[in-house]
Amino acid sequence: ADVMGRTHALSGLVAGGTVGHFVLHLGPAHLAVMAAVTAGAAVLPDIDHPDASVARSFGFVTKGFAWLVEHVSGGHRHGTHSLAGLAAFTGVAYLARHYLQTLAGQTGLGLLLVLVLASGLRALKIGGHFSDLLAIGGAAGMLYSGFGVAGVPWAVAAGTAAHLAGDMLTNEGLPIAWPLSRFHVRLLPEPLAFTTGTRPERWIVAPLLLVALVWLVWVAAVMEKVVPGGRVTLR
């Protein structure tokens, strides 16, 4: 779970950077926040597994929630690993953002941000024992200032989609049309599909994601020099 969690978080950084730069045209600061939230959101579908990075974020609280989700969603790699799951995660983020002026919206968005930020930091092994405190501080700062909050639904959608795409590269694939169909869809044919946590993931997928991330940082830096301060900012 640790290895795949790190790979998922890396894919989230790349997905967040891609959407933030090429679709939303964010400036550097907003782009960094977008990427951070997307990294955590890319680990979110594994909330159906008690041993995943996201389930271990806040001890028995998130472990208990993961146990509940696992049983409600039909087990690991079922409900949360489908288009229905993607829609549910994105819908929750959208509603929390839409009703941010209400106590329910603020509470929902706050909990979501704490969970995804803590999951991303834990998966990327950033912050150590203080990662949860960093996540709480980051979420509180975003809610208080409003900085980057408008991009949260985008980040959750991109991160969850990146997770599903990553899992569909594996041998097991995903029941993407769950609950309508339990057929597992794979993106790669049998000789190329790999098992979670094995060498292809460590030595091919993860390095490619790192290269893509470095390229995105370079592109964003170049664009900032060409059009300084000319990017769009979401609040």
Side-chain angles (χ1 to χ4, degrees):
D2 274 340
V3 176
M4 198 64 184
R6 185 164 58 251
T7 306
H8 281 314
L10 280 173
S11 74
L13 286 174
V14 172
T18 301
V19 172
H21 182 74
F22 293 105
V23 179
L24 302 179
H25 309 295
L26 302 179
H30 281 83
L31 190 60
V33 171
M34 174 84 177
V37 176
T38 311
V43 189
L44 202 52
D46 278 343
I47 192 64
D48 64 356
H49 195 301
D51 291 328
S53 299
V54 60
R56 296 200 308 273
S57 296
F58 289 93
F60 72 91
V61 176
T62 42
K63 270 183 171 289
F65 184 64
W67 180 88
L68 179 64
V69 172
E70 180 182 23
H71 285 75
V72 170
S73 66
H76 183 47
R77 286 198 175 191
H78 283 82
T80 63
H81 288 70
S82 66
L83 291 176
L86 189 158
F89 286 125
T90 306
V92 167
Y94 172 80
L95 287 173
R97 168 66 184 91
H98 185 72
Y99 292 102
L100 189 57
Q101 303 309 315
T102 68
L103 179 61
Q106 291 172 4
T107 303
L109 190 62
L111 289 173
L112 178 64
L113 283 172
V114 168
L115 183 62
V116 297
L117 290 174
S119 301
L121 289 169
R122 185 176 290 272
L124 294 169
K125 301 193 181 304
I126 297 174
H129 295 300
F130 298 102
S131 59
D132 292 347
L133 291 176
L134 289 173
I136 293 171
M142 287 180 66
L143 283 178
Y144 179 77
S145 66
F147 192 85
V149 166
V152 171
W154 285 89
V156 171
T160 307
H163 185 112
L164 300 188
D167 278 354
M168 283 194 291
L169 295 175
T170 65
N171 286 318
E172 187 180 348
L174 292 180
I176 198 70
W178 184 95
L180 300 177
S181 170
R182 295 184 181 274
F183 178 75
H184 282 231
V185 178
R186 294 185 311 190
L187 294 178
L188 294 175
E190 184 58 43
L192 297 177
F194 58 88
T195 303
T196 299
T198 54
R199 288 180 179 177
E201 181 183 339
R202 289 187 178 95
W203 300 108
I204 299 176
V205 178
L208 284 176
L209 288 171
L210 281 172
V211 169
L213 185 60
V214 170
W215 178 77
L216 279 168
V217 171
W218 178 79
V219 169
V222 168
M223 282 303 301
E224 184 62 19
K225 287 182 179 178
V226 173
V227 193
R231 314 300 279 168
V232 174
T233 57
L234 288 178
R235 286 189 60 83

